[in-house]
């Protein structure tokens, strides 16, 4: 999902507190070399004697891990499962200790097995990974035997040079190496970015595709991120890059692979859709192919050449296994495995040795829960423990207390309790005249990455919010801005939540106390915002008046489809969003009087 990226995180990082981290050599900035073949063929060797005409290739896939090495806390760590009697059950899922076990178990008895991902493996990560520029996650993915991934928008949060370092290895250019005597090795799987080119040369930033081979079986993987990545990543993160149409790019490289004799092709696409049900086991082909899914991936799937045999998707954090007709009208598998490592998809691709192509009518696929009642993978436990020791001095520091769960990422409502807390924290911190004189604050929903969970995550005790937990909610360390906007611009910004690029997938801003209005979802486009109801502290918004508005630097740059917010003047740069959040927790909670979840009564929703 779209989310606040951030700039210059290195300069704002608090790692100085974790003393004794060695500093080593310069960044390996060279981009990856040409395509290299992969195929460790988990679980089997070449057969003997006569080879059967077809071979079943197991494709395991997942997407949007976002550095969630430990099981995600609270409702954000649940998967919805529809039971035989029609009721829906929430099942706790995720965590790389369990994901590793799930993938390794699934590979048993499948000599031809390849593992692929749909992007956003890193970025917007919890402290355990984010504090170390996501090196722990790349190390975990190497251990999971990931063969290939597409880039997602979050792979660009820290820019192309840092993405190249994640691919190629080398210690961080500012913070150096985190473990004495150990140099970061980089990803031993290729990152694919077929539709991302360098502005100066027009050449691809990373490899557009790779070919997996085993015993004469060849499968090509093309990886793309959504064309709209620059709209949801800070300008710094995508500087010097161009993002191209997903369909045109995939079709171009599918032709190239076809000319090279690679007839079996899978597209890894960091763009997705929304199924009609949030249950992972929902049949979105009922009553007809793809009837139960909507969103950008549907049109993309319909435009991609029939040369491509299956689509692994992501970005929307949804779970679906659907068929969508290709341009020739034949059904083709389109899958997504939720997020945070809570699900994996197991797809059977039947490979015909005579045609070197996939028998499309035989493709079968299903999502599976990464349950937490299976054994943990010991190597992943060791990895988590190692990095947790380094993070502990910072991560375990208490910031405040809460009386119950305060849901953010886990809330499906337009107005989220945690969104209200964050917006109020931003308003309170920036309201003083010398801090910007803010009268109202806006927070983008995609920037809220987790829930605040009452149950203890470690030894801190129930109700305690640690620095690590606060960081997991707001991991971007965005600087706050206070700007002048007219009442007319404010109204336009609220309308942009549900119109223009946000019409198909509304992005409802979280608003500070005092701002109220009605959202009528029975209407369409900008009309969904009932303008006559918009009030600040009980008074109608005056189109001609100037208001001081607080928001993070991403929104203040017009990010997430809010060009009106990018028109602000008289800008004052304040503290970071995380600093204001922590200051608010400290000011409004004690062990004896913890912060309660706020009411969600600012936006009246008509459905």
């Amino acid at each position: 999902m779209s989310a606040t990226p951030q700039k210059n995180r290195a300069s704002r990082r608090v790692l100085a507190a974790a003393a004794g981290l060695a500093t080593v050599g310069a960044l390996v900035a060279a981009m990856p070399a040409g395509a290299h073949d992969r195929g460790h063929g988990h679980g089997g060797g070449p057969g003997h004697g006569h080879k059967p005409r077809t071979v079943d290739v197991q494709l395991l896939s997942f997407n949007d891990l976002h550095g969630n090495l430990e099981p995600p806390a609270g409702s954000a760590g649940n998967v919805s499962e529809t039971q035989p009697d029609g009721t829906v059950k929430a099942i706790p899922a995720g965590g790389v200790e369990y994901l590793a076990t799930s993938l390794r178990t699934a590979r048993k008895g499948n000599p031809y097995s390849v593992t692929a991902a749909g992007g956003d493996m890193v970025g917007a990560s919890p402290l355990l990974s984010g504090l170390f520029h996501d090196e722990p996650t790349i190390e975990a993915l190497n251990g999971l035997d990931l063969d290939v991934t597409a880039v997602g928008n979050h792979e660009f949060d820290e820019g192309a040079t840092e993405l190249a370092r994640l691919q190629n290895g080398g210690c961080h250019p500012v913070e150096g190496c985190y473990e004495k005597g150990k140099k970061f090795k980089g990803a031993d799987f290729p990152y694919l970015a077929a539709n991302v080119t360098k502005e100066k040369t027009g050449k691809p930033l990373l490899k557009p595709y790779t070919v997996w081979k085993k015993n004469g079986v060849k499968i090509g993987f093309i990886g793309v991120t959504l064309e709209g990545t620059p709209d949801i990543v800070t300008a710094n993160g995508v500087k010097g890059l161009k993002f191209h149409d997903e369909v045109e790019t995939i079709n171009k490289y599918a032709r190239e692979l076809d000319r090279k004799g690679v007839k079996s092709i899978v597209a890894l696409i960091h763009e997705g859709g929304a199924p009609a049900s949030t249950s992972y086991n929902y049949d979105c082909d009922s009553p007809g192919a793809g009837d139960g899914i909507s969103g950008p991936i549907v049109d993309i799937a319909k435009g991609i050449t029939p040369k491509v045999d299956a689509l692994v998707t992501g970005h929307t954090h949804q779970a679906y296994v659907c068929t969508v007709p290709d341009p020739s009208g034949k059904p083709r598998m389109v899958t997504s495995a939720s997020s945070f490592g809570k699900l994996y998809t197991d797809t059977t691709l039947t490979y015909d040795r005579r045609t070197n192509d996939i028998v499309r009518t035989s493709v079968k696929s299903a999502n599976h829960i990464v349950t937490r009642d299976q054994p943990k993978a010991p190597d992943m436990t060791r990895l988590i423990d190692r990095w947790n020791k380094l993070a502990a001095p910072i991560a375990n520091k208490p910031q405040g207390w809460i009386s119950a769960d305060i849901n953010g990422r886990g809330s499906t409502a337009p107005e989220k309790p945690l969104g209200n807390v964050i917006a109020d924290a931003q308003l309170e911190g920036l309201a003083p005249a010398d801090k910007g004189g803010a009268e109202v604050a806006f927070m983008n929903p995609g920037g809220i990455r987790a829930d605040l969970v009452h149950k203890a995550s470690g030894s801190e005790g129930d109700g305690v919010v640690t620095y690590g937990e606060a960081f997991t909610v707001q991991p971007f360390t965005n600087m706050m801005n206070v700007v002048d906007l007219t009442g007319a611009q404010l109204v336009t910004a609220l309308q942009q939540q549900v119109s223009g690029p946000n019409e198909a997938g509304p992005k409802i801003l979280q608003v500070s106390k005092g701002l109220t209005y009605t959202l009528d979802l029975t209407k369409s486009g900008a009309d969904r915002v009932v303008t006559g109801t918009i009030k600040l502290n009980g008074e109608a918004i005056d189109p001609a008046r100037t208001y001081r508005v607080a928001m993070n630097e991403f929104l203040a740059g017009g990010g997430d489809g809010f060009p009106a917010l990018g028109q602000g003047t008289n800008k004052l740069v304040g503290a970071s969003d995380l600093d204001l959040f922590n200051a608010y927790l400290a000011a409004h909670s004690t062990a004896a009087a913890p912060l309660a979840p706020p009411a969600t009564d600012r936006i009246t929703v008509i459905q």
Side-chain angles (χ1 to χ4, degrees):
M1 305 195 75
S2 72
T4 325
Q6 93 263 320
K7 305 193 268 203
N8 309 329
R9 180 161 68 179
S11 62
R12 302 183 193 139
R13 204 160 280 287
V14 286
L15 253 181
L21 302 181
T23 303
V24 171
L27 165 68
V28 182
M31 293 298 168
H36 62 276
D37 299 324
R38 311 247 325 156
H40 34 245
H42 311 285
H48 299 285
H50 177 70
K51 287 182 177 172
R53 175 165 171 178
T54 61
V55 174
D56 279 351
V57 177
Q58 178 188 54
L59 170 62
L60 300 175
S61 57
F62 57 96
N63 51 276
D64 296 279
L65 181 65
H66 290 288
N68 279 264
L69 302 181
E70 296 176 296
S75 56
N78 290 337
V79 170
S80 296
E81 181 181 65
T82 300
Q83 305 301 300
D85 64 0
T87 59
V88 176
K89 186 177 173 186
I91 299 174
V96 294
E97 294 160 297
Y98 303 113
L99 179 59
T101 300
S102 287
L103 294 176
R104 289 164 188 171
T105 303
R107 288 172 188 145
K108 283 175 184 164
N110 288 284
Y112 294 84
S113 183
V114 56
T115 303
D120 276 5
M121 294 296 98
V122 301
S125 306
L127 188 85
L128 177 61
S129 187
L131 193 57
F132 306 107
H133 294 274
D134 284 311
E135 289 181 22
T137 296
I138 298 296
E139 189 185 325
L141 292 169
N142 288 344
L144 289 174
D145 286 328
L146 183 63
D147 287 296
V148 57
T149 184
V151 293
N153 51 291
H154 281 280
E155 264 81 17
F156 294 94
D157 282 353
E158 295 190 50
T161 308
E162 174 64 2
L163 174 54
R165 186 182 77 89
L166 291 181
Q167 176 74 81
N168 297 316
C171 296
H172 193 271
V174 175
E175 290 163 15
C177 290
Y178 297 114
E179 294 179 290
K180 200 173 178 182
K182 272 192 183 177
K183 184 180 170 189
F184 174 57
K185 292 190 174 92
D188 65 12
F189 51 89
Y191 260 114
L192 304 181
N195 64 332
V196 187
T197 57
K198 300 178 208 173
E199 272 177 356
K200 280 185 182 169
T201 63
K203 290 185 174 166
L205 173 70
L206 299 168
K207 289 188 305 181
Y209 59 80
T210 192
V211 180
W212 179 88
K213 292 180 182 176
K214 184 168 185 203
N215 300 338
V217 173
K218 289 188 293 189
I219 298 179
F221 289 88
I222 303 167
V224 298
T225 186
L226 70 155
E227 187 183 5
T229 291
D231 303 327
I232 52 175
V233 172
T234 50
N236 238 26
V238 294
K239 201 173 174 185
L241 303 175
K242 275 192 91 165
F243 291 77
H244 304 272
D245 183 83
E246 304 95 339
V247 174
E248 286 172 19
T249 304
I250 291 167
N251 289 351
K252 169 185 160 183
Y253 287 111
R255 286 193 298 272
E256 190 172 310
L257 282 166
D258 188 58
R259 282 198 303 272
K260 290 183 172 181
V262 179
K263 307 292 184 186
S264 299
I265 303 171
V266 175
L268 308 174
I269 308 171
H270 192 70
E271 178 60 290
S277 164
T278 56
S279 291
Y280 84 94
N281 55 343
Y282 164 70
D283 179 6
C284 66
D285 281 348
S286 175
D291 280 351
I293 187 171
S294 59
I297 199 62
V298 178
D299 287 338
I300 290 171
K302 286 177 178 172
I304 289 173
T305 170
K307 292 183 197 299
V308 173
D309 299 296
L311 277 53
V312 171
T313 73
H315 188 55
T316 57
H317 292 205
Q318 302 296 311
Y320 47 84
V321 172
C322 302
T323 57
V324 176
D326 71 12
S328 72
K330 289 183 182 147
R332 176 169 53 196
M333 197 61 77
V334 180
T335 67
S336 174
S338 183
S339 64
F340 302 170
K342 294 182 288 189
L343 296 178
Y344 72 92
T345 313
D346 189 337
T347 302
T348 302
L349 302 172
T350 302
Y351 184 94
D352 187 326
R353 288 185 181 276
R354 199 171 299 168
T355 62
N356 296 328
D357 206 349
I358 301 299
V359 183
R360 281 259 298 273
T361 51
S362 300
V363 176
K364 295 189 292 291
S365 192
N367 274 328
H368 301 278
I369 301 185
V370 176
T371 59
R372 299 184 199 166
D373 57 3
Q374 59 186 322
K376 295 179 180 182
D379 56 328
M380 293 295 151
T381 304
R382 287 192 298 272
L383 182 151
I384 288 169
D385 289 348
R386 221 180 73 234
W387 288 102
N388 261 332
K389 280 195 185 87
L390 281 176
I394 297 162
N396 297 340
K397 202 173 167 199
Q399 302 297 311
W401 291 262
I402 55 173
S403 64
D405 288 1
I406 305 179
N407 283 350
R409 172 64 67 177
S411 166
T412 55
E415 181 185 347
K416 304 169 194 311
L418 190 49
N420 288 356
V421 172
I422 291 169
D424 288 351
Q426 294 176 353
L427 177 63
E428 183 170 294
L430 301 170
D434 62 335
K435 297 282 194 281
E439 299 169 81
V440 64
F442 291 134
M443 175 63 193
N444 56 313
I448 306 167
R449 304 305 301 183
D451 303 335
L452 277 186
V453 178
H454 185 263
K455 190 176 186 313
S457 59
S459 59
E460 77 274 13
D462 289 351
V464 178
V465 179
T466 63
Y467 185 90
E469 289 164 340
F471 182 99
T472 298
V473 169
Q474 296 237 272
F476 301 105
T477 326
N478 268 312
M479 302 315 284
M480 291 301 300
N481 290 181
V482 186
V483 299
D484 283 351
L485 286 170
T486 64
Q489 287 169 323
L490 271 187
V491 171
T492 301
L494 291 174
Q495 291 172 326
Q496 286 168 350
Q497 301 176 110
V498 289
S499 62
N502 293 332
E503 180 157 8
K507 291 197 178 85
I508 306 304
L509 294 165
Q510 306 299 288
V511 299
S512 55
K513 62 185 174 202
L515 187 74
T516 54
Y517 70 96
T518 297
L519 191 63
D520 187 349
L521 296 179
T522 65
K523 295 183 177 168
S524 61
D527 290 341
R528 291 167 173 168
V529 175
V530 185
T531 51
T533 65
I534 306 171
K535 291 180 179 176
L536 183 59
N537 301 322
E539 290 184 16
I541 293 285
D542 178 353
R545 197 196 130 190
T546 297
Y547 295 85
R548 292 292 283 165
V549 183
M551 62 193 114
N552 60 49
E553 60 192 332
F554 172 60
L555 277 180
D560 259 359
F562 290 99
L565 296 180
Q567 295 167 357
T569 57
N570 194 18
K571 178 169 81 174
L572 182 139
V573 178
S576 77
D577 50 8
L578 181 59
D579 285 347
L580 291 181
F581 185 47
N582 283 330
Y584 186 86
L585 289 171
H588 291 272
S589 68
T590 63
L595 181 71
T600 49
D601 53 5
R602 300 169 191 185
I603 305 171
T604 303
V605 181
I606 300 170
Q607 283 179 311

